[in-house]
């Protein structure tokens, strides 16, 4: 899938660069963005290191088990069959970091969760139900306080920058409900399909 | 309300740290050694995701710098208008799933052009506040797995995203 999306992005870019005569800008941007990607990951590496370190403490001391037990009811609904405590806690931390707007930390936990989910999926090439659900929830998760948006609003002279917080949360919750419902629908449909075949 | 939420957000990292270290002390664990061990793993995975991040950054650069993005925006504008989404928001809607920093730039532009407290401005803010960079998440998250077939992930992500946009417009219009 990613294969096609990526190829489409590049070919589309090349075709348009040719038509609009933006070849120079196109080449420049591609290379400079590759450089930015490296800088981004270097920035991320430090944060990943710190969080992995902290989570390792939590894991070895048994704190993670306690947290996983606490969240079990919700997790059982979203991820039936997911019992690995480490995965559950990575998912939990990713959700929490998302909600509290710890942007890059959220990415780190999500990647950790995906790695663990992949291991449970036996490294298969088809995504598991849990992976799809994790992404569905993750992508529709709202930040409690969208700091950057608030900053841009007050910078552009808003009389009440915070007035969008509650509407954002409502819109996010709606989007999350739709995503979870759709994900559950697909899960059920696939289960039927597999049973028949 | 906003103040309370903001304070909670500020305390997230210190709170997690205190709980983890506090519990470690209570258990008399070798906290420092555990930390170093975890950092090693974290750095390892940073190296592993780099190729995927480079790939998605390059792909985004290709679409944005060539003008293909602008074309897609013009193409999609009438479609969104049919659902009552103001056409001033099209570029934001198209760019948001692809690039977080890019959509912040567009938001800035929309807010300074139409005013942050106008209908369009409020819609744009709520949208940016409630939606994620869907494509970016796909590329990077699946990048660390061996998954090639994403099954229903893409439709679910896109439908959820569109639901968020429509909800943003609806809420701004009636609430």
């Amino acid at each position: 899938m990613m294969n096609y999306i990526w190829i489409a992005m590049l070919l589309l870019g090349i075709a348009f660069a040719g038509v609009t005569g933006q070849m120079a800008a196109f080449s420049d941007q591609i290379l400079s963005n590759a450089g930015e990607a490296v800088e981004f990951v270097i920035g991320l590496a430090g944060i990943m290191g710190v969080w992995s370190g902290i989570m390792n403490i939590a894991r070895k001391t048994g704190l993670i088990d306690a947290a996983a037990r606490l969240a079990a009811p919700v997790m059982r609904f979203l991820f039936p069959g997911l019992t690995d405590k480490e995965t559950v806690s990575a998912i939990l931390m990713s959700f929490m970091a998302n909600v509290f707007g710890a942007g890059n930390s959220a990415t780190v936990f999500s990647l950790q969760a995906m790695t663990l989910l992949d291991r449970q999926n036996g490294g298969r090439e088809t995504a598991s139900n849990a992976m799809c659900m994790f992404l569905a929830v993750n992508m529709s998760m709202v930040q409690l306080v969208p700091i950057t948006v608030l900053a841009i609003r007050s910078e552009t002279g808003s009389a009440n920058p915070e007035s969008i917080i509650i509407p954002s949360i409502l819109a996010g919750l709606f989007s999350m409900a739709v995503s979870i419902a759709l994900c559950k629908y697909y899960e059920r449909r696939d289960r039927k399909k597999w049973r028949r075949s | 309300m906003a103040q309370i939420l903001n304070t909670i957000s500020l305390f997230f990292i210190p709170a997690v740290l205190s709980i983890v270290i506090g519990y470690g002390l209570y258990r008399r664990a070798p906290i420092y050694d555990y930390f170093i061990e975890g950092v090693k793993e974290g750095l390892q995975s940073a190296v592993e995701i780099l190729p995927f991040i480079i790939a998605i950054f390059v792909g985004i650069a290709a679409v944005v710098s060539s003008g293909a993005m602008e074309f897609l925006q013009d193409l999609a504008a009438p479609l969104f208008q049919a659902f009552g989404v103001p056409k001033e928001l099209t570029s934001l809607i198209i760019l948001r799933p692809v690039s977080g920093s890019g959509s912040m730039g567009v938001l800035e532009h929309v807010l300074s052009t139409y005013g942050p407290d106008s209908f369009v401005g409020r819609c744009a803010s709520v949208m940016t506040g409630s939606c994620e960079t869907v494509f970016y998440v796909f590329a990077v998250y699946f990048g660390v797995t061996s998954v090639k077939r994403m099954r229903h992930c893409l439709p679910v992500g896109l439908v959820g995203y569109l639901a968020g946009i429509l909800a943003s417009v609806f809420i701004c219009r009636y609430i």
Side-chain angles (χ1 to χ4, degrees):
Chain A
M1 190 63 147
M2 215 41 228
N3 190 22
Y4 297 115
I5 295 179
W6 195 72
I7 294 172
M9 283 173 109
L10 282 195
L11 290 182
L12 196 69
I14 294 169
F16 267 86
V19 173
T20 56
Q22 308 252 35
M23 280 299 190
F26 176 82
S27 314
D28 278 357
Q29 276 300 315
I30 281 197
L31 295 181
S32 76
N33 257 33
E36 270 172 40
V38 177
E39 277 166 36
F40 174 69
V41 173
I42 289 177
L44 210 57
I47 305 171
M48 288 178 95
V50 171
W51 277 118
S52 304
I54 294 169
M55 289 318 281
N56 195 45
I57 302 173
R59 185 166 63 222
K60 291 272 167 85
T61 53
L63 187 59
I64 275 183
D65 297 350
R69 259 199 307 276
L70 219 61
V74 183
M75 298 309 258
R76 247 201 314 270
F77 168 71
L78 288 177
F79 309 101
L82 181 67
T83 48
D84 183 65
K85 289 197 181 93
E86 204 181 326
T87 316
V88 169
S89 69
I91 291 176
L92 269 182
M93 283 306 289
S94 147
F95 289 167
M96 303 232 298
N98 248 318
V99 168
F100 291 111
N104 286 340
S105 307
T107 308
V108 170
F109 286 118
S110 307
L111 292 174
Q112 201 187 352
M114 282 306 272
T115 314
L116 292 167
L117 286 173
D118 188 47
R119 205 173 296 162
Q120 273 136 42
N121 197 25
R124 272 193 286 273
E125 292 191 347
T126 307
S128 65
N129 280 344
M131 283 180 185
C132 295
M133 183 57 86
F134 175 62
L135 258 89
V137 178
N138 206 327
M139 283 188 299
S140 52
M141 199 113 214
V142 292
Q143 203 174 319
L144 222 44
V145 183
I147 302 161
T148 324
V149 176
L150 293 184
I152 296 175
R153 281 177 65 78
S154 56
E155 211 175 280
T156 48
S158 169
N160 190 1
E162 288 90 9
S163 65
I164 57 110
I165 291 184
I166 303 293
S168 296
I169 294 175
L170 290 178
L173 285 178
F174 177 71
S175 148
M176 194 193 290
V178 170
S179 304
I180 293 176
L182 195 61
C183 219
K184 283 279 176 197
Y185 162 76
Y186 274 110
E187 277 177 20
R188 201 155 302 164
R189 196 198 62 176
D190 286 352
R191 207 179 309 141
K192 273 190 203 141
K193 211 192 299 173
W194 285 333
R195 210 176 290 154
R196 237 178 286 139
S197 62
Chain B
M1 184 66 187
Q3 208 56 50
I4 301 169
L5 293 178
N6 209 351
T7 315
I8 298 175
S9 289
L10 279 178
F11 277 99
F12 174 64
I13 290 180
V16 171
L17 265 176
S18 325
I19 294 170
V20 169
I21 292 177
Y23 192 75
L25 281 174
Y26 162 71
R27 279 307 201 61
R28 293 172 198 280
I31 299 175
Y32 181 74
D33 299 330
Y34 289 165
F35 181 74
I36 296 293
E37 202 179 273
V39 173
K40 274 185 198 155
E41 283 172 33
L43 291 179
Q44 185 73 37
S45 35
V47 175
E48 278 163 23
I49 60 164
L50 182 53
F52 303 100
I53 306 260
I54 291 183
I56 190 69
F57 270 51
V58 166
I60 291 167
V63 179
V64 174
S65 70
S66 62
M69 201 58 156
E70 282 168 48
F71 175 76
L72 289 176
Q73 283 161 15
D74 295 342
L75 209 67
L79 188 74
F80 286 121
Q81 266 176 293
F83 284 100
V85 180
K87 70 168 189 305
E88 294 87 347
L89 299 177
T90 321
S91 48
L92 186 65
I93 295 173
I94 304 263
L95 197 62
R96 182 68 187 148
V98 186
S99 158
S101 53
S103 54
M104 290 303 168
V106 177
L107 177 67
E108 159 104 76
H109 175 76
V110 170
L111 294 192
S112 51
T113 315
Y114 303 100
D117 296 318
S118 66
F119 173 61
V120 170
R122 278 165 45 81
C123 277
S125 311
V126 172
M127 236 172 240
T128 317
S130 65
C131 297
E132 259 282 5
T133 46
V134 178
F135 279 107
Y136 173 82
V137 166
F138 274 132
V140 175
Y141 287 16
F142 275 119
V144 296
T145 69
S146 35
V147 168
K148 292 213 170 69
R149 281 181 299 275
M150 308 197 294
R151 289 175 57 208
H152 49 276
C153 274
L154 194 63
V156 167
L158 289 181
V159 170
Y161 178 67
L162 287 178
I165 287 171
L166 294 180
S168 303
V169 175
F170 183 83
I171 290 170
C172 286
R173 182 158 293 171
Y174 296 105
I175 297 178

